Amino acid sequence: MMAIRQIQSLIPAHPSSDGDGVRIQRVHGFSNPLFSPFLMIDELKSESAVDYIGGFPSHPHRGIETLTYMLKGHFQHKDHMGNVGELSDGGAQWMSAGKGVIHSEMPMMTDGQLHGFQIWINLPAAKKMQPADYHDFQSDVITQYQQEDGSLIRVIAGDLTIKGITFSGPLQQTGVPVTIADWQTNKAATFNSCLNPDFQAMLYVYRGTINIGEKAISAGTLAMLGSGEGLAISTRGEAGVLLLSGQPINEPVVHYGPFVMNSMEEIEQAIQDYQQGLLV
């Protein structure tokens, strides 16, 4: 029998702000080794432009990757490498900061709505100083699979096996292997999949309420999952869930603002490089 992953702990998202006053709901795990290789999940959701109008003006990063995924709305990216990308509904953007990137990001509504996520993924020490990189993936290249019960799974990054069939997302070049997917349903449904037993896994519920075993998880909550080879989710009504699974990075994590390195000395070097125009 396949060992099904169970809930290990629940972490509620908390209100926060970033950039030029952008209101978000945030879950972070910089100091939690069970969160690795992920570092943070920000949910952007608004029907009012005043919540995000300032966006995220030009700022630096080193040592991480970011994945931005928009359910509703646009998200524009510009960076020092000359990349300009604008997502529409259902698209994703990936950026590897590596040794350094300076970029800006601007969320924009569609039909008066904005709903999306930015996920920070750690880079292992061996890749923290590699050249920066960027790709965007519009909605039509995100891998989709509709189940018989009408629910939809969208695989954004890595691979996910459902009923013996492996679905590969368009993003495959992350610093360590990860799987990031979105399960959506408008009615009672179930979702079952295989997960790499060597990966850590978590779920962020962004709509409705789901069940894992006898435990319910409501919107705005992250469920840290224990070990196992499989995942089994059910819901009695509409639901939306982000699945994050990845190979843990068993290295020290030192976080300071937009920089995530392995030591305070490396953080200080990143700050100095940025101040002297040497970050990129």
Side-chain angles (χ1 to χ4, degrees), residues 221-261:
T221 305
L222 180 80
M224 305 286 293
L225 304 180
S227 60
E229 301 168 321
L231 175 66
I233 306 172
S234 64
T235 181
R236 296 179 180 177
E238 65 174 16
V241 184
L242 288 185
L243 164 63
L244 288 74
S245 179
Q247 183 183 86
I249 301 171
N250 298 313
E251 297 173 352
V253 174
V254 182
H255 166 230
Y256 182 83
F259 307 128
V260 181
M261 303 300 289

Side-chain angles (χ1 to χ4, degrees), residues 60-63 99 129 256 258-261 263-279:
H61 286 291
R62 174 177 281 180
K99 66 179 180 180
M129 296 300 286
Y256 182 83
F259 307 128
V260 181
M261 303 300 289
S263 69
M264 196 60 212
E265 290 76 17
E266 291 174 330
I267 292 288
E268 291 169 353
Q269 185 65 57
I271 296 170
Q272 181 178 319
D273 287 349
Y274 178 58
Q275 292 173 339
Q276 296 179 354
L278 303 174
L279 184 77

Side-chain angles (χ1 to χ4, degrees), residues 29-38 200 224 248-251 253:
F30 293 99
S31 60
N32 185 349
L34 298 178
F35 217 86
S36 182
F38 305 101
Q200 297 188 146
M224 305 286 293
I249 301 171
N250 298 313
E251 297 173 352
V253 174

